[in-house]
């Protein structure tokens, strides 16, 4: 399709396109302003392995070896901590000890979806799976590009509920890592003690005593240290004003996306309606040829007669 024909078609539809853009932008603005807003609770943590008195360095017989420079994935106890934040056990804890189930049920019963579910008879109580799905979608874990810290964020309409859930999640993940380490050290100590009681060789008993001392030290360190996975750099806090969704950003995106979408749709419709055969026939149709005039006749001007001659007549 030739570009002049395309531009002419868009210019011919300009008022219709302006109307469609205005209607769509107004509908988008209405949806953005009606959407419920949420408060964000935030905490900044750092892996305990990055500190000089980290539990990992005290438990291991050799110095802690960090990962490669290009590998930014979490490792060690901190990786277990991050995995526990979104675990089914964490979702069950929130469903049991917080009011997130009531908040999700109230949100589900409201709006057009709630009316449709009530009409179809698909109402059901909020369970741990719903809380886990909500936790997976609303808990954000972001690594800082300038340091080794990580930011934990959770969004909820009720600010006090968001802050309470973030505190409980951090405490649960930290306690899980500590309990796993203590249980592992206790099992190793019990196994070594049974092996020592059965061993008669003095050289093997000395080696087993060294291993037993290491595991007993590990259990003592885990029991004494309050932080084994993630150290709080900034305590959990919640903002005073809701910030999600970001209304200015959404309105700016609508101002750009809606005109582009309407223009692309108009261009696609013009290209679908364009008939190349008809355009070619119109372009190659013979036209009536006019011979150029050799002498152009000039229009005669009326003669200007003097007043004396006019009076004489």
């Amino acid at each position: 399709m030739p570009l002049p024909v395309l531009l002419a078609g868009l210019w011919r539809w300009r008022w219709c396109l302006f109307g469609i853009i205005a209607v769509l932008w107004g509908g988008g603005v209405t949806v953005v302003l009606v959407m419920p807003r949420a408060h964000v609770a935030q905490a900044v943590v750092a892996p305990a392995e990055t500190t000089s008195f980290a539990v990992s360095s005290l438990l291991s017989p050799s110095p802690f070896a960090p990962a490669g420079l290009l590998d930014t994935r979490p490792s060690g106890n901190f990786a277990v901590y991050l995995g526990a934040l979104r675990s089914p056990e964490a979702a069950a804890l929130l469903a049991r000890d917080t009011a997130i189930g009531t908040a999700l049920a109230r949100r589900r019963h409201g709006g057009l979806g709630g009316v449709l579910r009530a009409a179809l008879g698909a109402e059901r109580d909020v369970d741990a799976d719903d809380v886990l799905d909500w936790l997976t979608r609303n808990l954000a874990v972001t690594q800082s590009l300038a340091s080794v810290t990580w930011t934990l964020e959770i969004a909820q309409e009720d600010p006090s509920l968001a802050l309470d859930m973030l505190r409980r999640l951090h405490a649960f993940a930290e306690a899980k890592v500590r309990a796993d380490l203590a249980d592992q050290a206790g099992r190793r100590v019990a196994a070594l003690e049974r092996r020592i009681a059965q061993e008669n060789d003095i050289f093997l008993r000395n080696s087993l005593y060294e291993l037993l001392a290491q595991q007993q030290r590990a259990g003592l360190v885990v029991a004494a240290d309050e932080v084994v996975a993630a150290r709080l750099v900034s305590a959990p806090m919640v903002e005073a004003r809701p910030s999600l969704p970001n209304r200015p950003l959404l309105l700016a995106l609508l101002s750009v996306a809606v005109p582009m979408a309407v223009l692309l749709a108009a261009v696609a419709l013009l290209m679908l309606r364009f008939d190349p055969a008809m355009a070619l026939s119109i372009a190659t149709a013979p036209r009536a040829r006019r011979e150029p005039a050799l002498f152009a006749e000039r229009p005669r001007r009326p003669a200007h007669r003097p007043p004396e001659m006019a009076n004489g007549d």
Side-chain angles (χ1 to χ4, degrees), residues 122-146:
E123 289 288 346
R124 61 178 180 83
D125 296 334
V126 177
D127 52 11
D129 293 337
D130 298 326
V131 178
L132 178 60
D133 180 67
W134 178 89
L135 181 63
T136 305
R137 289 184 288 104
N138 290 272
L139 178 63
V141 180
T142 308
Q143 183 180 10
S144 175
L145 299 178

Short mmCIF file of all heavy atoms in Angstrom, two decimals, residues 122-146:
data_model
loop_
_atom_site.label_atom_id
_atom_site.label_comp_id
_atom_site.label_asym_id
_atom_site.label_seq_id
_atom_site.Cartn_x
_atom_site.Cartn_y
_atom_site.Cartn_z
N ALA A 122 -20.32 -21.21 43.18
CA ALA A 122 -18.92 -21.64 43.28
C ALA A 122 -18.22 -21.04 44.48
O ALA A 122 -16.99 -20.96 44.51
CB ALA A 122 -18.17 -21.26 42.00
N GLU A 123 -18.97 -20.61 45.48
CA GLU A 123 -18.37 -20.04 46.68
C GLU A 123 -17.70 -21.14 47.52
O GLU A 123 -18.23 -22.25 47.66
CB GLU A 123 -19.42 -19.33 47.51
CG GLU A 123 -19.94 -18.04 46.88
CD GLU A 123 -18.91 -16.93 46.94
OE1 GLU A 123 -17.92 -17.09 47.69
OE2 GLU A 123 -19.08 -15.93 46.23
N ARG A 124 -16.53 -20.81 48.08
CA ARG A 124 -15.83 -21.72 48.98
C ARG A 124 -14.97 -20.91 49.93
O ARG A 124 -14.69 -19.73 49.70
CB ARG A 124 -14.96 -22.71 48.20
CG ARG A 124 -13.86 -22.07 47.36
CD ARG A 124 -13.02 -23.12 46.65
NE ARG A 124 -11.98 -22.51 45.85
CZ ARG A 124 -10.81 -22.11 46.31
NH1 ARG A 124 -10.53 -22.25 47.61
NH2 ARG A 124 -9.90 -21.56 45.53
N ASP A 125 -14.57 -21.54 51.01
CA ASP A 125 -13.75 -20.87 52.01
C ASP A 125 -12.30 -20.75 51.54
O ASP A 125 -11.83 -21.55 50.72
CB ASP A 125 -13.80 -21.63 53.33
CG ASP A 125 -15.20 -21.65 53.93
OD1 ASP A 125 -15.97 -20.72 53.63
OD2 ASP A 125 -15.52 -22.60 54.66
N VAL A 126 -11.62 -19.76 52.06
CA VAL A 126 -10.20 -19.55 51.74
C VAL A 126 -9.38 -20.58 52.50
O VAL A 126 -9.53 -20.76 53.71
CB VAL A 126 -9.77 -18.13 52.11
CG1 VAL A 126 -8.28 -17.93 51.85
CG2 VAL A 126 -10.58 -17.11 51.32
N ASP A 127 -8.51 -21.28 51.78
CA ASP A 127 -7.67 -22.31 52.41
C ASP A 127 -6.20 -21.93 52.27
O ASP A 127 -5.85 -20.84 51.79
CB ASP A 127 -7.93 -23.68 51.79
CG ASP A 127 -7.82 -23.67 50.27
OD1 ASP A 127 -7.34 -22.65 49.72
OD2 ASP A 127 -8.21 -24.66 49.62
N ALA A 128 -5.34 -22.83 52.68
CA ALA A 128 -3.89 -22.56 52.66
C ALA A 128 -3.36 -22.43 51.23
O ALA A 128 -2.38 -21.71 51.00
CB ALA A 128 -3.14 -23.67 53.40
N ASP A 129 -3.98 -23.12 50.28
CA ASP A 129 -3.53 -22.99 48.89
C ASP A 129 -3.77 -21.58 48.36
O ASP A 129 -2.94 -21.03 47.61
CB ASP A 129 -4.25 -24.01 48.01
CG ASP A 129 -3.85 -25.43 48.34
OD1 ASP A 129 -2.74 -25.61 48.89
OD2 ASP A 129 -4.62 -26.36 48.06
N ASP A 130 -4.90 -20.98 48.71
CA ASP A 130 -5.16 -19.60 48.30
C ASP A 130 -4.16 -18.64 48.93
O ASP A 130 -3.69 -17.70 48.28
CB ASP A 130 -6.58 -19.20 48.69
CG ASP A 130 -7.63 -20.05 48.00
OD1 ASP A 130 -7.40 -20.45 46.85
OD2 ASP A 130 -8.67 -20.34 48.62
N VAL A 131 -3.83 -18.87 50.19
CA VAL A 131 -2.85 -18.01 50.86
C VAL A 131 -1.47 -18.19 50.22
O VAL A 131 -0.72 -17.22 50.04
CB VAL A 131 -2.80 -18.32 52.36
CG1 VAL A 131 -1.74 -17.48 53.06
CG2 VAL A 131 -4.17 -18.06 52.99
N LEU A 132 -1.12 -19.43 49.85
CA LEU A 132 0.17 -19.66 49.20
C LEU A 132 0.23 -18.99 47.84
O LEU A 132 1.26 -18.40 47.47
CB LEU A 132 0.40 -21.17 49.06
CG LEU A 132 1.69 -21.60 48.35
CD1 LEU A 132 2.91 -21.08 49.10
CD2 LEU A 132 1.75 -23.11 48.22
N ASP A 133 -0.86 -19.05 47.08
CA ASP A 133 -0.89 -18.38 45.78
C ASP A 133 -0.77 -16.87 45.96
O ASP A 133 -0.04 -16.20 45.21
CB ASP A 133 -2.18 -18.75 45.06
CG ASP A 133 -2.28 -18.08 43.70
OD1 ASP A 133 -1.47 -18.42 42.81
OD2 ASP A 133 -3.15 -17.21 43.53
N TRP A 134 -1.46 -16.32 46.95
CA TRP A 134 -1.35 -14.88 47.20
C TRP A 134 0.06 -14.51 47.66
O TRP A 134 0.60 -13.48 47.24
CB TRP A 134 -2.36 -14.48 48.27
CG TRP A 134 -2.30 -13.04 48.64
CD1 TRP A 134 -2.98 -12.01 48.07
CD2 TRP A 134 -1.48 -12.46 49.66
NE1 TRP A 134 -2.64 -10.83 48.66
CE2 TRP A 134 -1.73 -11.06 49.65
CE3 TRP A 134 -0.58 -12.97 50.58
CZ2 TRP A 134 -1.10 -10.19 50.52
CZ3 TRP A 134 0.06 -12.10 51.44
CH2 TRP A 134 -0.20 -10.73 51.41
N LEU A 135 0.67 -15.33 48.49
CA LEU A 135 2.02 -15.05 48.98
C LEU A 135 3.04 -15.09 47.86
O LEU A 135 3.96 -14.26 47.80
CB LEU A 135 2.38 -16.05 50.08
CG LEU A 135 3.75 -15.90 50.73
CD1 LEU A 135 3.85 -14.58 51.46
CD2 LEU A 135 4.00 -17.05 51.69
N THR A 136 2.88 -16.03 46.93
CA THR A 136 3.81 -16.13 45.81
C THR A 136 3.74 -14.91 44.92
O THR A 136 4.75 -14.44 44.38
CB THR A 136 3.51 -17.40 45.01
OG1 THR A 136 3.56 -18.53 45.89
CG2 THR A 136 4.53 -17.59 43.90
N ARG A 137 2.55 -14.35 44.76
CA ARG A 137 2.37 -13.21 43.86
C ARG A 137 2.69 -11.87 44.51
O ARG A 137 3.03 -10.91 43.81
CB ARG A 137 0.94 -13.18 43.33
CG ARG A 137 0.64 -14.30 42.34
CD ARG A 137 -0.77 -14.18 41.76
NE ARG A 137 -1.79 -14.53 42.73
CZ ARG A 137 -2.56 -13.66 43.36
NH1 ARG A 137 -2.40 -12.36 43.13
NH2 ARG A 137 -3.47 -14.04 44.22
N ASN A 138 2.57 -11.76 45.82
CA ASN A 138 2.68 -10.47 46.48
C ASN A 138 3.95 -10.29 47.30
O ASN A 138 4.19 -9.18 47.80
CB ASN A 138 1.47 -10.23 47.39
CG ASN A 138 0.20 -10.01 46.62
OD1 ASN A 138 -0.15 -8.90 46.24
ND2 ASN A 138 -0.53 -11.09 46.37
N LEU A 139 4.73 -11.33 47.50
CA LEU A 139 6.01 -11.19 48.20
C LEU A 139 7.13 -11.02 47.19
O LEU A 139 7.35 -11.88 46.34
CB LEU A 139 6.27 -12.41 49.08
CG LEU A 139 7.60 -12.41 49.83
CD1 LEU A 139 7.66 -11.26 50.82
CD2 LEU A 139 7.83 -13.74 50.54
N ALA A 140 7.81 -9.89 47.25
CA ALA A 140 8.90 -9.58 46.32
C ALA A 140 10.22 -9.63 47.06
O ALA A 140 10.37 -9.05 48.14
CB ALA A 140 8.69 -8.20 45.70
N VAL A 141 11.19 -10.32 46.47
CA VAL A 141 12.55 -10.43 47.01
C VAL A 141 13.49 -9.89 45.94
O VAL A 141 13.63 -10.50 44.87
CB VAL A 141 12.91 -11.88 47.39
CG1 VAL A 141 14.32 -11.94 47.95
CG2 VAL A 141 11.91 -12.44 48.39
N THR A 142 14.14 -8.75 46.22
CA THR A 142 14.96 -8.06 45.22
C THR A 142 16.37 -7.90 45.74
O THR A 142 16.58 -7.45 46.88
CB THR A 142 14.37 -6.68 44.89
OG1 THR A 142 12.99 -6.82 44.56
CG2 THR A 142 15.12 -6.04 43.73
N GLN A 143 17.34 -8.26 44.92
CA GLN A 143 18.75 -8.11 45.29
C GLN A 143 19.24 -6.73 44.90
O GLN A 143 18.95 -6.23 43.81
CB GLN A 143 19.59 -9.17 44.60
CG GLN A 143 21.06 -9.15 44.97
CD GLN A 143 21.86 -10.22 44.27
OE1 GLN A 143 21.35 -10.87 43.36
NE2 GLN A 143 23.09 -10.41 44.67
N SER A 144 19.98 -6.10 45.78
CA SER A 144 20.54 -4.79 45.50
C SER A 144 21.73 -4.92 44.55
O SER A 144 22.55 -5.83 44.68
CB SER A 144 20.98 -4.10 46.79
OG SER A 144 21.62 -2.87 46.51
N LEU A 145 21.81 -3.99 43.60
CA LEU A 145 22.91 -4.01 42.64
C LEU A 145 24.17 -3.36 43.19
O LEU A 145 25.26 -3.58 42.65
CB LEU A 145 22.49 -3.30 41.35
CG LEU A 145 21.31 -3.91 40.60
CD1 LEU A 145 20.98 -3.08 39.37
CD2 LEU A 145 21.60 -5.35 40.21
N ALA A 146 24.04 -2.56 44.24
CA ALA A 146 25.19 -1.82 44.77
C ALA A 146 25.81 -2.48 45.99
O ALA A 146 26.91 -2.10 46.40
CB ALA A 146 24.79 -0.39 45.11
#
